[in-house]
Amino acid sequence: MRNLLCVTAVVFALFTAPLPAVASERIYIYTENFPPYNMSATGRAFEHNEDGIDGLCTEMVKAILEHSGLDYVIKLRNWDFGYNRALNKKNHGIYCTTYTENRASQFKWVGPLTTNLWTIFAPPGTDLKIDSLEDTRGMLYAGYRGDVMTEYLLERDFRVSAMDSDDLNPKRLELGQVDLWIADRLAGPYFASQQDVEGLEPVFSFNNTELYLAMNLETSEEVIRKLRQGLETIRNNGMYEAIETKWGL
């Protein structure tokens, strides 16, 4: 009888004890080399884990994730690869992504993380004066395939020579292969310095846009809630402002 009571007690305990917490679904976050917002810390084209990825937006996203309690992986790939993953696969996302009306319905958005200012760069020593974007019609831009700034120009029938990466565009501008280069006001000088290009002239800036973490539409509302709560936490505890200050904003 004593043995029967012990067995009964064990069975009862198994059914009444709280179940162990079930790990949340892992989320997969992608980014690209776009300094100083996101970039390889080792200068490589690809990074397989977060330790090798740096930048303003990267620090923001890492802080958000650390305060979200979510299981995650961050990888650095080229833009098209990461963007298509985020567009087509549940629990996949990409940062820093420009929020536009065209993209609004394609993702679930967490942010803004920061802003960028679209800027037209001309070769060193230029005397070019630009009062509006229309002043550059007929000139050849260097652009970055799939980038929102390049798409903006193409949609308006500007001439753009688009590359798979923005890395070579400062050198193309310096060598006179293109007339202008469209890039971010903060990121442009970083790319130029990596190619030992100095003196590019920011001749016109426009369209100050917001940058976000964009998540696949099938990602659960619970995951999105935790991510947005993580962002709210770092805004309230001062981490958000500290990161912006560190990166010159």
Side-chain angles (χ1 to χ4, degrees):
M1 177 63 72
R2 182 178 298 171
N3 289 340
L4 179 60
L5 290 174
C6 288
V7 171
T8 302
V10 170
V11 172
F12 180 78
L14 287 174
F15 279 94
T16 57
L19 294 173
V22 178
S24 62
E25 294 179 272
R26 174 173 289 184
I27 62 173
Y28 298 84
I29 309 296
Y30 289 87
T31 191
E32 61 166 338
N33 273 312
F34 186 59
Y37 296 98
N38 15 270
M39 56 193 174
S40 167
T42 61
R44 294 186 293 197
F46 303 108
E47 294 289 351
H48 300 289
N49 61 71
E50 64 177 284
D51 293 336
I53 309 172
D54 200 3
L56 190 163
C57 279
T58 299
E59 288 199 24
M60 292 287 191
V61 170
K62 286 180 180 179
I64 290 168
L65 289 166
E66 287 167 5
H67 286 83
S68 72
L70 295 167
D71 182 24
Y72 67 91
V73 172
I74 303 178
K75 296 179 182 290
L76 186 144
R77 296 290 187 269
N78 65 43
W79 176 257
D80 283 345
F81 181 90
Y83 188 84
N84 285 321
R85 283 292 180 108
L87 195 61
N88 297 306
K89 293 180 72 70
K90 179 182 177 181
N91 290 338
H92 285 58
I94 188 166
Y95 72 91
C96 273
T97 308
T98 303
Y99 181 93
T100 67
E101 289 185 8
N102 289 341
R103 289 176 173 172
S105 62
Q106 296 178 322
F107 298 99
K108 293 180 177 180
W109 299 87
V110 180
L113 305 177
T114 188
T115 61
N116 70 353
L117 181 62
W118 298 5
T119 299
I120 298 170
F121 291 89
T126 184
D127 58 1
L128 180 66
K129 304 295 182 185
I130 297 176
D131 295 318
S132 73
L133 195 60
E134 279 299 315
D135 293 341
T136 68
R137 189 167 293 282
M139 303 179 75
L140 180 61
Y141 278 91
Y144 174 18
R145 190 169 289 111
D147 176 64
V148 66
M149 291 178 281
T150 296
E151 292 175 351
Y152 182 92
L153 292 177
L154 290 172
E155 288 169 0
R156 288 157 179 79
D157 296 323
F158 286 89
R159 297 175 61 218
V160 184
S161 174
M163 304 283 285
D164 288 329
S165 172
D166 224 10
D167 294 356
L168 297 179
N169 281 329
K171 181 62 71 174
R172 296 172 73 204
L173 181 59
E174 182 186 51
L175 294 175
Q177 297 174 357
V178 293
D179 301 311
L180 300 167
W181 173 39
I182 189 164
D184 171 66
R185 184 67 182 85
L186 197 59
Y190 273 78
F191 277 111
S193 66
Q194 289 176 343
Q195 299 298 321
D196 296 321
V197 175
E198 298 181 356
L200 297 185
E201 299 283 352
V203 292
F204 186 70
S205 293
F206 66 107
N207 211 18
N208 198 21
T209 57
E210 294 180 325
L211 301 177
Y212 284 72
L213 167 62
M215 297 296 299
N216 180 267
L217 286 175
E218 293 186 20
T219 305
S220 72
E221 286 302 317
E222 177 65 10
V223 167
I224 300 302
R225 183 190 66 78
K226 288 181 177 179
L227 290 170
R228 289 173 177 162
Q229 191 173 57
L231 175 58
E232 186 66 20
T233 297
I234 68 169
R235 285 187 183 276
N236 291 336
N237 68 16
M239 288 186 69
Y240 183 96
E241 184 178 359
I243 292 169
E244 283 205 322
T245 301
K246 173 185 174 181
W247 291 94
L249 295 177

